[in-house]
Amino acid sequence: MNKKNIISLLLLVTALSIIIAGLLPTKYTSGFDFQSFSTLPVQANGRLCPLDTVARNTLLLSSGKQTVRLSQGAKLDARSWLVEMAARPEFADSFPVFRIDNQEVLALLDKKLGEQKYFSFNDIQPVFETIHREMERINPESQLQTPYEKQLTKLNNALTAYHRLIHSFHPMTKNSSDLLDEYNTWEQITKNGFLEIQKQQNGHNFDPVIANKFMGFSERYLTLSKIASLGILPPRKTQTDDKWLNIGQILMDAVVDEHINPIAYNYANMSAAYAENNPSLFNATLNDMHTFFKPYTNSFKIKFEAFFNSYEPFYRSILIYTLAFLIAILSWIVWGKTFQKSAFLLTSLAFILHTCGLIARIYIQGRPPVTNLYSSAIFVGWGAVLLGLILERIFKNSIGSCVSGIIGATTLIIAHQLSLSGDTLEMMRAVLDSNFWLATHVVIITIGYSATFLAGMIAIIYIFRGVFTKNFTPNTAKTLSKMVYGILCFALLFSFVGTMLGGVWADQSWGRFWGWDPKENGALLIVLWIAVILHAKVGKYIKDTGLMLMAVGGNIITAWSWFGTNMLGVGLHNYGFMDAAFKALIIFILSQLLFIAIGAIPKKHWKSNI
Amino acid sequence: MFEKLYHFFSSLKLTVTLLIFSMALVFFGTLDQVNYGIFEVQQRYFKSIVVLWQYPPQWIFGNVLQYLHIPMLGGYTIGTLLLINLFVAHFKYYNSSFKKSGIMLIHLGLVLLIISGFLSGFLQIESQMWIKENSKANYSQSNHYNELVIIDKTKDEIDTVYAIPENHLKTNTLIKDSKLPFNVRVIHFYENADIAFRSQTPLANTQNIATQGAGLKMDIVAMPIPKSYKDEVPNAATAYIDIIDNEGDSIGVWLVSNLLDDQFPPQRFTHEDRQYEVALRFKRYYYPFWLKLNKFSFDRYPGTEIPKNFSSKIEIINPVKNEIRDTLIYMNNPLRYEGKTFYQASFGDNEKTSILQVMQNPSWQLPYWSVLIIGLGLLIQFLLSLTTFLKKHR
């Protein structure tokens, strides 16, 4: 085997090991079956999901990560953390899961910027009153908040989610035997206690001790029912809705049933087993629970979602896309043919992984691929990579692989940033609740974004190679010019049709085809810009370089349309807001302007002669 | 001369210039929506001949940049010029070959789209219908336009409504018309005002201008405030009107405002054995039928406040057509009835009132035709390009 073949093989093996590594199940040395725990079904945020999702999303919301680093250096994954929250809440309260970066918020805790980044519930507890007072004062509209107020609101939301989660498994007691005592006492008192309360209300003689005890428990569980955020028991047969019951409601229902539903005991016993270091009891209880839930859920789908969470297909795709991008660039310097083939192979592998992730989301959510800002980022990348792969197959010059690699990686990184604010598989808002339009208008316009970014990226490569490298030939330049022109035609087709479909949907939904709202205006700008480019090229007002510069301009317009319009806080399309994203958008726009400026340098200063 | 005009209006340069101008119009209009709301920007930018954009003083570096003004051609101007450009260019480049058919269709469809835009601008009427559960409504009202009404309530079953549109209500004018039962002198008209108890305002030491009605009885006065541009916050049009009989004598001065809605007792008076009511209210559009709200539902996803569906169970009662039937209006599913479309827009009053958006636009089908024609044209053009490309790269 010669050197080239060995390197190619090495690259392939690297990519394959990234893909396969995620398939290996996590090894837990303690004997506790955390995997089984993580696939318990619950109802959270209006949908059925595994505890795994709840754990990861809550952690992402508070710390931006899916793991917890303890002060002793040990690392907890999301599943283990959630077990601690359920079984040893006082201990969990000492874990540093709240990330604070804002100077003024840190000041509330007497900390300076850089001293400490992650804080525990206990660390923050002393200033709860201050936070509460501030939250009363702060304007709930995020556009009108200062950065400090935005960060404090974010912290408050994370604290609330944490508080509600930790109370979702059982009422708080000193230890697990106290909990079981409480349940036993409550069961015994439900029948008599209710009778005594009735006697009291009818003005008859009643036993005040029993009555007061009953009221005490009732109030405790009523409060609990308002806090607990997870539905842990499927709806009763007598319910008309599909709402799962939380622990507070289950305990209150004991009055009607004269016993507490076994699920509450299951959670209590499981927590106790963990706290007392009894893996076999822990695992056995979990088995019983899974058997119980079987008739109420699609356990395959629940388990699949937990697997999907832990596999992290998009993270792995980012790695392989980046590798493909680097190899593609390398192919222009040395070993052209070999690296071109490798780059194409790597991009294809990453694309397959990316596609699997996309399909998995469609399966879990039961919706077309684009339903919120997060999924739009996943799909924009997917569309651009697909087009890039087709280009590579036709032209075989590593351009396709290069742009696919960089766009694939970048959009997935953007997606990751967008995933930090909540459940990415969230339920659709009422006005968006139309699978037909989601599958047509949204998908088509997103493909339009993909194509515009692809053309812009190829244009950047044209500029870069022309200005900074010596081996950019006139033939390659002509080819790139054809690519960009063709892709822009494609982009115009999809952007225009997508925008028109949006008008039709708006007419069906809001009563008017076009309302000139910011998102509609943004889409119109993309269509107009590409129309300007194509008309200018036909009229020969611009040549190849002009085409490239304007294509890079398309990146700016598309970024404005995709993200900028959401930041204005205006109009019917205003359902995705962000804060720090504004800075990122400005930096992106400046970078594109820089590329345009470089490309505008007169040809005689370019290193390549085209 | 004619040659020069023809050359100018058919040129590709004009097209490119107009497209760039329209991009600027759309972009700056969007920026202004932050401060002026969608409705105001529609009027200023898209339903206008020219418009001037000013850097908002409230934005960063505003104290210096506020002097930056950019004049632009308005929507009507650009639309008209584009239409002319498309028409004239069509004659210049007309070629009946199949190869050009795609482009022809695309541009034809665009002409239709621009025309539909103009028509919508002129013909579209947008209003809202508020219906309480278990009650019915036969009118909808505008969010932006007001009317001064004098209602003859003498007969029991019939109200005769004399409506004076807002644009006639200017401070210090006399409204005289043979159709009106009275003349109306507008003493003051405010686009937006607060209403407060006179004793709690700086006007406490002056006499109340109102001599009749709520103004006098509740001792309230109007304090003008700046116009609101927030789409969710309507302007409280308010006025002091002097009602003058046919002999020229004043019957009285009333304080009227769209803030004094049906939660307040109506302002009525008697004159020569006839009973009248006077009010300033959002402009109403009456219909020859009733919509009765039997039930409004706000379904949420279990355990959350995320809206899953809004729906109104409506009963249509049309005495003219002798029609009584049930229907359901919900998200993405409007009721199209009698040339108007009723959408589930919002709700109020603790989910006991349904708010329907009523759209009237006789040209509503035009965009659909335009989309179809352009879509066909794009498809032909794309397939032609694709086959050419594939032939070359076989």
Side-chain angles (χ1 to χ4, degrees), chain A residues 164-182:
Chain A
R164 297 188 66 192
L165 179 58
I166 211 171
H167 280 91
S168 292
F169 301 102
H170 50 73
M172 289 298 174
T173 54
K174 273 215 189 64
N175 52 44
S176 35
S177 57
D178 275 1
L179 179 63
L180 288 166
D181 283 342
E182 177 174 331

Side-chain angles (χ1 to χ4, degrees), chain A residues 43 45-46 427-428 430-431 493 496 500 504-505 507-509 511 513 515-516 518 521 525 529 532 535 539 541 557, chain B residues 12-13 19 23 26 30 33-34 42 46 301-304 307-308 331-332 334 336 343 359 367-368 371 374 378:
Chain A
Q43 190 180 62
N45 262 331
M427 305 304 278
M428 302 300 311
V431 67
L493 173 65
F496 190 77
M500 292 294 105
V504 173
W505 187 7
D507 188 60
Q508 296 288 314
S509 212
F513 182 83
W516 299 107
N521 290 347
L525 283 176
W529 184 240
V532 169
H535 283 87
Y541 305 131
I557 309 236
Chain B
L12 199 54
K13 257 204 193 123
L19 287 176
M23 285 183 75
V26 168
T30 309
Q33 281 172 342
V34 177
Q42 274 182 338
F46 305 115
Y301 286 109
T304 69
K308 184 174 176 184
M331 302 306 297
N332 293 319
R336 292 192 200 271
Y343 300 83
M359 288 296 216
Y368 286 87
V371 166
I374 298 179
L378 284 168

